[in-house]
Amino acid sequence: MISLLALVLATALPAQGQTPGDDRAKPPPGAVVLFDGKDTSAWVHRVTGEPCAWEVVDGALVVKAGTPDLMTNQLFGDYRLHIEFWLPLMPGRSGQGRANSGVYNHGRYEIQMLDSWENTTYQFGGCGAIYGQKDPDQNTIKPPETWNSYDILFYAPRFDDAGNLLAKPRISVWHNGIRIHRDIEIEKSPTTAGLEGPQPSKGPVMLQSHGAPVRFRNIWLVPIDD
Ligand code: MG
């Protein structure tokens, strides 16, 4: 009886690290750890290719104003990404000026990060938006100076052997555990300020440097094989 109960519990409960939006979801087996609170060696700066100049403060990676965006030196195709972010309180700023950053999938497709707590902005520009295309299904942001999480399921674009686009990239996003996009086809390549050039089948994860000292922690990615 006890063993049956244990079996039921084991199958009903998600494995540790597998729950989208779990505040401190641990990297599951097979994950590529991109930032563990200390090591920034997975990252280089856009354009310059120089090592990460952003500082680690209390286990968080902090955007340094005046530096280019930060991107992984490893490229990925399809994946599940977990990232936690902390938005500073910037009461003197409004709209897009208030704690702006973002995570670019393949360096091209931005899921916006913005202090959208009691701060409005234009359509398709708030926190959780597929920037320039679609607002989140709901605003699930936490107040500034608290930790948020994104869990992103990203499928790369598909091409035929001649390089013709067969399928656009697709994305699902959970913000603090609540799904805000469900398998949405991404129309633009790139979204604003993403990497330019032909649309690739693999790319980096990129964090936007928009001047605000946004913090990141616990960043990991699970590649999905075809
Ligand atoms: Mg942004």
Side-chain angles (χ1 to χ4, degrees), residues 31-224:
V32 178
V33 175
L34 298 173
F35 180 63
D36 64 358
K38 298 194 253 325
D39 183 5
T40 62
S41 64
W43 302 89
V44 294
H45 284 285
R46 181 179 183 173
V47 182
T48 67
E50 290 181 351
C52 176
W54 295 1
E55 290 179 358
V56 176
V57 179
D58 296 332
L61 184 59
V62 186
V63 176
K64 186 174 187 176
T67 60
D69 299 335
L70 198 64
M71 48 192 241
T72 57
N73 47 37
Q74 195 175 343
L75 306 182
F76 305 98
D78 304 339
Y79 55 77
R80 177 191 163 193
L81 171 68
H82 177 87
I83 183 167
E84 297 170 16
F85 60 101
W86 186 101
L87 302 169
L89 176 61
M90 301 176 75
R93 308 296 294 272
S94 63
Q96 294 289 304
R98 194 157 175 159
N100 194 333
S101 184
V103 56
Y104 284 80
N105 298 275
H106 280 194
R108 302 171 77 90
Y109 318 106
E110 183 185 12
I111 300 300
Q112 172 72 310
M113 292 171 180
L114 188 77
D115 177 7
S116 289
W117 181 268
E118 300 177 347
N119 175 44
T120 56
T121 187
Y122 47 72
Q123 190 179 38
F124 313 146
C127 199
I130 302 171
Y131 192 87
Q133 176 181 331
K134 180 184 175 291
D135 282 325
D137 291 340
Q138 54 184 306
N139 181 3
T140 57
I141 198 165
K142 293 180 181 175
E145 301 190 330
T146 56
W147 286 95
N148 285 262
S149 66
Y150 282 159
D151 287 274
I152 295 175
L153 188 58
F154 177 79
Y155 289 98
R158 296 304 199 253
F159 303 91
D160 66 16
D161 290 343
N164 301 304
L165 182 68
L166 294 177
K168 292 176 180 175
R170 300 195 336 266
I171 197 161
S172 298
V173 181
W174 290 257
H175 183 187
N176 298 326
I178 297 167
R179 181 150 46 187
I180 57 171
H181 302 293
R182 181 191 288 261
D183 199 29
I184 301 298
E185 198 171 69
I186 301 175
E187 299 293 338
K188 296 181 182 176
S189 178
T191 62
T192 303
L195 297 179
E196 302 281 348
Q199 195 169 23
S201 54
K202 288 192 168 188
V205 174
M206 188 167 83
L207 304 177
Q208 187 179 44
S209 181
H210 203 286
V214 172
R215 305 178 190 176
F216 301 94
R217 73 178 183 191
N218 195 23
I219 312 172
W220 50 260
L221 177 154
V222 180
I224 298 172

